[in-house]
Amino acid sequence: MAGKFKVAIVGSGPAGMSAGGRAAETNVSHILFEKSDHLSDTIYKYQKGKFVMATPDVLPLRSPMTFQAGIREDILGTWDKEAAKHKVNVRFKSEVVAIKGQKGNFELRVQGGGDIVAEYVILCIGLQGNLRKLECEGADRPWVQYQLDDPDAYSDETIVVIGAGDAAIENAVALAKQNKVIIVNRRDEFARVKQGNLNLIAEAIDKGIIECYYNSEPGHIGDNYLLLKTAEGEAKIECNRIIARLGADPPRRFVESCGIKFPSKDRAALPELSGSYESNVPGLYILGALGGYPLIKQAMNQGYEVIEFIEGRPVKPADEPLLESKFANINVPVEEMLQRIRQNVPLLSGLTTLQLREFMIDSNVHTPRRGDVIFHRNDYTNSFFSIVQGNVDIQINPTNTAEVVGLGQGQFFGEMGLISGRRRTATTISASDDCVLIETPRRSMIKLVNSVAAVKKVLDQTAMARQIQTHLAPAVPTSELQEVVESAKIESYPAGHVIFNEGDQGDAVYLIRRGSVTVSRSIAGRNLVLSYVPAGNYVGEMALLSRKPRSATIKTAVATEAVRLDGSAFNKVLDKYPDLRRRLEAKYDQRLVENVRMEASPESGSLIEFLVAQGVGEATDVLLIDESLCVRCDNCEKACAETHGGTSRLDREAGPTFASLHVPTSCRHCEHPHCMADCPADAIHRASNGEVFIDDKCIGCGNCERNCPYQVIHMAAKPPAKPGLLQWLLFGMGPGPGEDLEAKKIKSSSPKLAVKCDMCKDLAAGPACVRACPTGAAIRVNPEDFFALTIRG
Amino acid sequence: MHESILVYRHFRYLKWAVTLTVVAILAYVFHTPGEPANGGTWLGYTLGGIGAGLIFWLAWFGMRKRDYAKPTGKLEDWLSAHIYLGLSLIFIATLHSGFQFGWNVHTLAYVLMMLVIASGAFGLYAYIRYPRLMTDNRRGTTLDAMIVEMAEADREIRELAAKMSDEIRDLVFDAIDNTTIGGGVRRQLEPGRSGRTVAAIDKVRSAFASGARDQTETSRRLISLLTRKNELVVRARNDVMYKAMMDVWLYVHVPLSFALLVALVAHVIAVFFYW
């Protein structure tokens, strides 16, 4: 044996390197194995110049090594320097291939010799494991590579990128700037990639910048060509380089060979660990992504903590002070409070400690007194509330505040806004003095729903019952709706999907819970849109009441979710509650009248159809210009630029026009903002009046720009400040107010950040574009109101 | 939901302006100063004061328009008032003058004011007439898109024309090289027409009709492309004209307004110091 150490660390990623640093700092005898010739191979393999995030922002870093958000090169450089400074005992190019033994006496076998013995082993090998290689003939040729460091290093080459994941797309798009790029996809579409990347590759293929072979696999690699097996036969592609991005095999086999057990056969399963990151093998610790802590900062904190645990110095998790301050107003120790949340709120009981801690760091704890308003009807907030203790009342009738539904300990509310993306449907007030509520922001809740299936299920079931009661049958007690709820199903449809056709048989009623639909009828061979139905309303009741075939076609305007209610179950409720039947019939009659009116003025229907085709159906507030009034002075754009640091967020001229109604390129403040979907810095928010805005956390990554289907976000550097009005007027110093929209003298050093319309939320009188329009051509409206006016005439 | 400047707030400022005018006229009619009506009577001073106040307030519109960050009010409100109250000045100032005109700075101020109002009235006419014409003329596209389409047509036309006789080729190339969109003030204000391209079309057609049948396909294609190009040129020029019509009056209105302010100040000083 070559050596004996107290601690052996396997893998020099953020966790291993931080553990090594802490061990060196506290004079613990240690050795750090790294299979490559540099530290932190996973980050080393990031694309050159990649911006590395330091999320979660609020989590303090606890490590002898420093780390803050920045460019890949800077971060790696700092770590190299600090590892040297602390004299971390690193052994490069040493892959550990086997770990045997038990606490106090582990034997580590190292590829190429130099085996050692250690009392403790810390495994920080991440999930990257081994890169998958091509298996076809010729895959070992030197011009086939499995990673890409710097796409700018190649120019004027023909490069084939094999793979359909995020890495392949990012590489292909980056290389296409100065090379001819061909991408090979084994399937017929790019599934399971980030929306932003999907848009990027779709656009590049559309414009012919990148050529794509679908349903194709490499068959053979020759001297300067790739033989591709496609659905139509073989294709020979001459190329200079092949870059295969095929993902990686998780290191499960190796981990299991060390004696570590996995809880299930699921490929994504991770080993179970104790609170001090120890595996089922005593003395063997697992940190980082393999231990369920995928973020750099978390892993670095773990590296520090594990050395403390081994040295017998107990430490509290790094986020402890954060949670302590969260719980300060209820004066309960963190551990006890987490326990209480788990016990009292069934929705959160299935979360792991890590998940719950993270959930609570994002959330806020409120202790309202009896009668305090938690949120108002029509607020545009979209946070989610869980009741840890006490009661709240939901005022279900806006005209009579005494009519309430009470919710108690363990229940939750606020999910309707989360699902529909629309304003709050009811005012909620605290009903007891000992109320303890957890308020969770939309983003964290969506993350939780997407990662814990049980949460989604409970949320959907409860929300469904409430949606039925709120929008369809407010006077009917929950118990009476049991059968309807049990037979109800949540269905999701893509945009443009026909839910049912005119003339179809069927008596199901659809309650739109997200998105919107149009109602249309075929008249004299032409499809005529009769109305627009947003979330929170129902369709299909006409056939139920009249017992005739469907009288109109229902088509989704945007991606839509509806609760499908079984007709016969619903009819039973109607029989029992004649008031409800009368209400529905009154609505039915109203729709009949509206339909007749719309049939008489087909141009209104065409207008709705046009606007829906422009995606206005998912808007909450849209800028519309009446071109018969617009004198093309561009004062709207000038006002936008002048009130937003010199860059206009709207393009008046761009965008489609129907009759004289023009939809300029300007943010619509979507119900479910596409821009918010993938913002790594969490910089996009919705204000309580509905404005979707970007705050100063923006890092300029461009995801929102790519994700916006309406091209209303762009990346812009801040132009220099302008001289004042009087200086311009009296001394001719330019540019003056409204001049030089495209300020030319932008310093190249000022970073490009995302800019978009914030509906002038900070100006009391409302949007500057509308107020600066001299002729009243520009208005901002809620499409729902606009459609309602169009329909009523 | 859209509301034009004229009907804005149910004609609020029209009502104001009419009231002001009617009161001024009635006062003028019933006023018996014992001397010929002029600006020096109490009514004359009152009307003059109102008129001067209005002129300065109307000129302030240029400042208000540029005060983009102003937290209150709508520009439409200001413009609606600017139009109606500006028009009422015709009456206020005329009554103030007592119909006494001459070759002096006082009448100069009056004439400048009337020119400013006249140019403004043309502006109002342009703002009402041209926006809809512009939209109809564009047919859902933009000027930039038209120009791109023209360039594409030109490229194809050149290829085809190169196959034709020298005479036709020269004519077509000349039409392409000398077709411009926009230009000087006069060019911008002219309605769209297209002399050279039309001439080229006629030439190709007559050559085609007179039996140059060996290039049938090319000729037909060339005629259709030239016709398309011609249509684009006319539309693009019309687009430029509509925009120019909506802009050009400001080049009169604004400088004359400044001249008016100077003349007005001279008028007031002259009246008070040298009368």
Side-chain angles (χ1 to χ4, degrees), chain A residues 678-691:
Chain A
D678 190 17
C679 175
D682 191 19
I684 308 180
H685 309 278
R686 169 159 249 148
S688 61
N689 287 322
E691 307 94 336

Side-chain angles (χ1 to χ4, degrees), chain A residues 624 626-632 635 639 642-643 653 725 728 765 771-774 776-777 779 781 786 789, chain B residues 1-5 63 65-66 68-76 79 127 131-132 134-135 138 243 246:
Chain A
L624 295 177
D626 184 343
E627 287 209 328
S628 64
L629 297 177
C630 174
V631 297
R632 279 77 166 174
N635 216 35
E642 290 292 331
T643 47
E653 194 166 27
L725 180 70
W728 166 75
R771 290 192 299 114
C773 177
I779 55 167
V781 285
F786 188 79
L789 263 172
Chain B
M1 263 188 230
H2 288 98
E3 199 176 31
S4 110
I5 19 173
M63 295 292 277
K65 186 190 136 179
R66 287 170 177 79
Y68 296 106
K70 194 161 178 69
T72 54
K74 290 179 73 176
L75 193 61
E76 186 184 10
L79 185 56
Y127 274 19
R132 186 176 287 279
M134 195 165 180
T135 301
R138 281 202 176 175
K243 183 77 174 76
M246 286 193 283

Side-chain angles (χ1 to χ4, degrees), chain A residues 202-440:
Chain A
E203 196 191 341
I205 294 173
D206 237 28
K207 287 188 177 164
I209 298 167
I210 292 177
E211 194 183 340
C212 180
Y213 283 87
Y214 292 100
N215 295 317
S216 304
E217 273 185 76
H220 169 83
I221 296 171
D223 277 339
N224 59 349
Y225 67 90
L226 164 71
L227 205 63
L228 211 55
K229 285 191 251 172
T230 74
E232 291 84 36
E234 289 200 332
K236 186 176 173 185
I237 305 172
E238 291 195 358
C239 53
N240 307 93
R241 189 176 302 281
I242 294 176
I243 297 175
R245 302 303 306 255
L246 310 169
D249 282 318
R252 179 161 176 163
R253 204 179 303 154
F254 168 72
V255 176
E256 279 177 334
S257 75
C258 304
I260 295 164
K261 291 195 179 77
F262 283 76
S264 76
K265 288 207 163 126
D266 183 2
R267 266 177 67 136
L270 299 173
E272 275 173 4
L273 303 176
S274 75
S276 55
Y277 319 125
E278 198 168 3
S279 70
N280 60 304
V281 179
L284 207 164
Y285 296 80
I286 298 178
L287 309 184
L290 182 62
Y293 289 73
L295 301 172
I296 296 175
K297 207 195 273 179
Q298 290 174 338
M300 290 179 71
N301 285 348
Q302 278 190 305
Y304 173 96
E305 287 157 18
V306 79
I307 296 295
E308 301 303 290
F309 293 140
I310 289 172
E311 288 293 288
R313 293 187 291 259
V315 281
K316 288 190 167 175
D319 57 15
E320 192 78 4
L322 293 172
L323 287 177
E324 272 166 12
S325 71
K326 293 266 176 197
F327 301 150
N329 52 353
I330 40 173
N331 217 359
V332 180
V334 172
E335 215 33 61
E336 195 185 322
M337 187 62 199
L338 292 177
Q339 198 51 39
R340 199 187 288 179
I341 291 169
R342 254 211 207 116
Q343 242 164 33
N344 293 2
V345 187
L347 188 72
L348 305 176
S349 60
L351 271 57
T352 65
T353 305
L354 177 65
Q355 279 170 331
L356 187 60
R357 289 186 87 99
E358 255 182 58
F359 182 82
M360 287 312 302
I361 287 173
D362 291 343
S363 304
N364 279 311
V365 179
H366 299 285
T367 53
R369 313 284 296 173
R370 180 193 296 272
D372 286 355
V373 174
I374 297 156
F375 55 71
H376 289 98
R377 176 188 299 269
N378 288 338
D379 272 2
Y380 227 130
T381 48
N382 45 23
S383 51
F384 177 90
F385 290 85
S386 320
I387 309 174
V388 183
Q389 187 180 307
N391 300 291
V392 301
D393 281 340
I394 298 175
Q395 297 173 353
I396 50 171
N397 186 345
T399 52
N400 178 11
T401 53
E403 215 175 294
V404 295
V405 168
L407 294 180
Q409 179 176 312
Q411 291 183 291
F412 55 83
F413 58 96
E415 78 290 350
M416 300 242 243
L418 189 73
I419 293 168
S420 70
R422 299 167 70 86
R423 293 175 186 275
R424 299 283 193 196
T425 51
T427 300
T428 302
I429 59 167
S430 168
S432 54
D433 283 332
D434 61 345
C435 224
V436 178
L437 305 176
I438 303 173
E439 181 184 11
T440 313

Side-chain angles (χ1 to χ4, degrees), chain B:
Chain B
M1 263 188 230
H2 288 98
E3 199 176 31
S4 110
I5 19 173
L6 294 183
V7 302
Y8 185 71
R9 288 198 179 181
H10 306 288
F11 300 100
R12 169 191 279 196
Y13 298 107
L14 174 62
K15 289 170 191 163
W16 286 20
V18 168
T19 309
L20 182 64
T21 308
V22 168
V23 169
I25 291 174
L26 287 179
Y28 187 85
V29 170
F30 291 107
H31 179 54
T32 45
E35 54 177 313
N38 67 74
T41 67
W42 70 263
L43 182 65
Y45 276 124
T46 308
L47 289 173
I50 294 172
L54 271 178
I55 289 173
F56 279 104
W57 177 79
L58 289 164
W60 190 254
F61 182 82
M63 295 292 277
R64 174 60 184 81
K65 186 190 136 179
R66 287 170 177 79
D67 193 358
Y68 296 106
K70 194 161 178 69
T72 54
K74 290 179 73 176
L75 193 61
E76 186 184 10
D77 206 20
W78 274 70
L79 185 56
S80 187
H82 185 87
I83 290 167
Y84 285 121
L85 295 176
L87 286 170
S88 77
L89 253 187
I90 299 175
F91 297 92
I92 306 291
T94 308
L95 295 176
H96 166 68
S97 77
F99 299 96
Q100 293 186 4
F101 301 107
W103 295 104
N104 53 36
V105 72
H106 316 297
T107 303
L108 173 68
Y110 179 82
V111 170
L112 284 172
M113 185 200 76
M114 292 310 261
L115 288 174
V116 171
I117 295 174
S119 61
F122 176 80
L124 177 61
Y125 163 78
Y127 274 19
I128 291 168
R129 177 169 165 76
Y130 294 112
R132 186 176 287 279
L133 288 177
M134 195 165 180
T135 301
D136 293 347
N137 178 59
R138 281 202 176 175
R139 294 177 210 161
T141 172
T142 62
L143 182 59
D144 288 342
M146 284 187 235
I147 288 170
V148 169
E149 206 182 330
M150 257 183 256
E152 182 59 24
D154 281 349
R155 195 183 54 76
E156 285 186 51
I157 290 170
R158 273 182 203 276
E159 279 175 19
L160 293 173
K163 297 179 191 165
M164 306 292 286
S165 69
D166 288 357
E167 190 192 3
I168 288 180
R169 190 196 62 207
D170 291 348
L171 201 59
V172 168
F173 278 24
D174 179 58
I176 289 176
D177 292 340
N178 290 299
T179 298
T180 54
I181 307 297
V185 178
R186 235 194 68 206
R187 284 300 299 274
Q188 286 197 32
L189 290 171
E190 278 171 357
R193 57 188 172 74
S194 170
R196 288 173 203 267
T197 312
V198 171
I201 295 171
D202 289 345
K203 185 74 202 168
V204 181
R205 285 175 71 177
S206 64
F208 187 50
S210 66
R213 291 272 157 186
D214 51 327
Q215 297 277 15
T216 311
E217 253 326 292
T218 311
S219 298
R220 282 199 180 126
R221 180 107 188 87
L222 192 56
I223 290 170
S224 88
L225 272 173
L226 281 168
T227 310
R228 170 87 189 126
K229 160 86 187 294
N230 185 46
E231 193 245 357
L232 284 168
V233 169
V234 171
R235 268 171 56 204
R237 285 186 178 157
N238 278 335
D239 192 74
V240 170
M241 179 193 67
Y242 296 141
K243 183 77 174 76
M245 284 294 195
M246 286 193 283
D247 290 345
V248 69
W249 63 276
L250 273 171
Y251 290 93
V252 179
H253 193 69
V254 174
L256 282 183
S257 297
F258 278 97
L260 167 59
L261 288 178
V262 174
L264 182 64
V265 170
H267 159 66
V268 172
I269 291 172
V271 166
F272 280 112
F273 287 92
Y274 302 104
W275 200 249

Side-chain angles (χ1 to χ4, degrees), chain A residues 47-52 68-77:
Chain A
Q47 203 156 299
K48 190 178 170 190
K50 183 183 163 94
F51 192 88
V52 182
Q68 54 191 18
I71 308 294
R72 160 194 175 267
E73 286 73 10
D74 296 344
I75 291 169
L76 291 173

